[in-house]
Amino acid sequence: MAAPSHVLPFLSPAGGCAASSARAHSGYRAGLLRCSAAAGQAGFFTRLGRLIKEKAKSDVEKLFSGFSKTRENLSVVDELLTYWNLADTDRVLDDLEEALLVSDFGPKISFRIVDTLREEIRDGKLKSCAEIKAALKRCILELLTSKGGNSELNLGFRKPAVIMIVGVNGGGKTTSLGKLAYRFKNEGVKVLMAAGDTFRAAARDQLEVWAERTGSEIVIDNDKKAQPPAVLSQAVKRGKREGFDVVLCDTSGRLHTNYGLMEELVSCKKVLAKALPGAPNEILLVLDGTTGLNMLQQAREFNDVVGVTGFILTKLDGTARGGCVVSVVDELGIPVKFIGVGEGMEDLQPFDAEAFVEAIFP
């Protein structure tokens, strides 16, 4: 009886071995090229996120002027501390607490900061008004950095990066998207906008104007009958096909109390993930800074529904309630990515916690 034939890889005929080796080598090279391309794209987005963040440090003057009303509100801090003495500690700290509350730092944060200062004064760690003010700024900075985490944009590892913009009506959502496109275009990024706000004709027109102003491409609902998820899906597919770096997705403004419209955001998020696994890379919630602490409930609802990755706080130049920046980070542990400190295209500033603290205290 003939023994069964077992062909082992290292005993294969020479021709088969060569062919197999060639195929393996070809596959290996293709794999290297794919890895190299992926690494290149990851490096591109990492550099882009850092570059945008770094440029915030050179725009300190804009930030400083943008928080002038909040800074004016908190100028009382210097007045309180100028004549501080140990016997007068409780009265001064009570007045400081009131100043923080007026600027919308919120009760929890205000009480926590003042209690920390009181304890450090009693322990002899703070012995002058300069030391107390430095400790106050340190407390706020620690809150922002420990709770808010990384405020750089997380754009993933492959193109296109997809950013979904959400928010209530009137918060500055579409305008923020346009200003964000301006930031990207200034860094040489190829940007595609998606006009996902199909319920408001003016929103599409507004976004088309922003596309023209920033030199971006745009996907719109031509027949005016498409649903938002269809427009967003079409945009991401075009972004992949035509090699765009970033796709910015606008969505319809909605009240956080409207269950049906909030559920539509879930559909938008799902369709983006279907068109491009891993998308969206960021879900940015636009909040109107003039509403102060009232924004917290909006933020909670949107986060519960779609999983917000970062905040854009707008209109902060028109309010003395800049403490809400700290409140929203402390309450939800979600970073502020950008802040609006003016009406110009360049006035959407990447958020920098240290620069913010220096801007609100005189």
Side-chain angles (χ1 to χ4, degrees):
M1 182 176 177
S5 173
H6 295 285
V7 180
L8 301 177
F10 53 88
L11 294 178
S12 298
C17 181
S20 175
S21 176
R23 285 194 299 272
H25 183 65
S26 175
Y28 176 70
R29 282 177 57 82
L32 280 179
L33 288 172
R34 285 195 297 271
C35 289
S36 176
Q41 290 183 11
F44 168 79
F45 285 129
T46 301
R47 288 192 301 272
L48 178 62
R50 288 176 182 167
L51 183 61
I52 289 175
K53 182 72 181 291
E54 283 300 314
K55 288 207 169 182
K57 298 181 186 298
S58 65
D59 291 335
V60 172
E61 286 187 14
K62 286 186 179 297
L63 190 67
F64 198 77
S65 63
F67 280 103
S68 59
K69 292 187 177 181
T70 299
R71 188 168 57 254
E72 185 178 337
N73 232 20
L74 290 170
S75 63
V76 68
V77 172
D78 279 340
E79 297 173 24
L80 291 170
L81 295 178
T82 298
Y83 301 105
W84 170 82
N85 61 69
L86 192 59
D88 212 19
T89 295
D90 286 337
R91 182 192 65 79
V92 169
L93 290 180
D94 286 345
D95 289 345
L96 173 60
E97 183 179 287
E98 184 179 348
L100 294 174
L101 287 169
V102 169
S103 295
D104 263 13
F105 278 84
K108 187 167 71 171
I109 293 175
S110 300
F111 299 160
R112 192 189 314 165
I113 290 173
V114 168
D115 286 346
T116 299
L117 295 177
R118 181 178 284 110
E119 185 176 334
E120 291 188 6
I121 290 170
R122 287 175 177 171
D123 289 347
K125 296 178 182 178
L126 305 177
K127 300 177 181 178
S128 68
C129 60
E131 289 178 346
I132 295 173
K133 185 173 180 180
L136 169 63
K137 293 162 75 171
R138 185 198 71 227
C139 287
I140 295 171
L141 183 60
E142 286 175 355
L143 275 171
L144 288 169
T145 52
S146 63
K147 290 289 190 77
N150 188 1
S151 60
E152 288 182 14
L153 285 174
N154 176 19
L155 300 176
F157 304 101
R158 61 180 172 186
K159 300 179 182 181
V162 179
I163 300 176
M164 183 174 164
I165 310 292
V166 301
V168 301
N169 290 311
K173 181 172 49 60
T174 303
T175 299
S176 294
L177 187 151
K179 291 180 179 181
L180 191 54
Y182 174 78
R183 280 263 172 195
F184 281 128
K185 291 295 290 187
N186 277 354
E187 305 305 332
V189 175
K190 189 178 180 183
V191 176
L192 179 63
M193 297 179 178
D197 187 350
T198 61
F199 295 111
R200 192 168 61 96
R204 185 184 66 177
D205 297 340
Q206 184 182 1
L207 203 62
E208 285 186 288
V209 170
W210 274 109
E212 185 176 347
R213 290 175 71 185
T214 61
S216 304
E217 297 291 317
I218 186 170
V219 172
I220 61 174
D221 170 23
N222 286 315
D223 61 9
K224 301 182 181 180
K225 294 180 181 178
Q227 293 298 307
V231 176
L232 301 190
S233 176
Q234 181 186 348
V236 172
K237 289 174 181 176
R238 180 181 168 187
K240 287 168 60 180
R241 186 173 63 248
E242 299 182 17
F244 283 88
D245 298 317
V246 175
V247 179
L248 297 176
C249 300
D250 195 14
T251 58
S252 302
R254 63 206 67 220
L255 289 174
H256 56 284
T257 53
N258 189 315
Y259 177 79
L261 288 178
M262 291 295 281
E263 283 298 303
E264 184 188 75
L265 285 181
V266 177
S267 299
C268 289
K269 183 179 178 180
K270 286 179 178 177
V271 83
L272 290 174
K274 185 176 180 181
L276 182 66
N281 302 92
E282 291 272 13
I283 300 177
L284 302 181
L285 173 61
V286 177
L287 295 168
D288 182 345
T290 63
T291 63
L293 291 175
N294 293 326
M295 70 172 65
L296 287 176
Q297 189 56 36
Q298 290 178 26
R300 290 191 191 98
E301 294 290 343
F302 274 94
N303 187 46
D304 288 344
V305 172
V306 290
V308 173
T309 61
F311 298 120
I312 297 177
L313 299 188
T314 63
K315 308 178 186 180
L316 289 170
D317 57 311
T319 179
R321 306 167 82 177
C324 64
V325 173
V326 186
S327 298
V328 74
V329 170
D330 181 67
E331 285 286 331
L332 297 172
I334 296 170
V336 176
K337 302 273 182 166
F338 290 90
I339 51 176
V341 291
E343 296 184 2
M345 285 203 297
E346 69 284 353
D347 290 333
L348 185 69
Q349 296 287 305
F351 182 71
D352 180 86
E354 190 172 349
F356 165 77
V357 172
E358 292 300 324
I360 63 173
F361 285 102

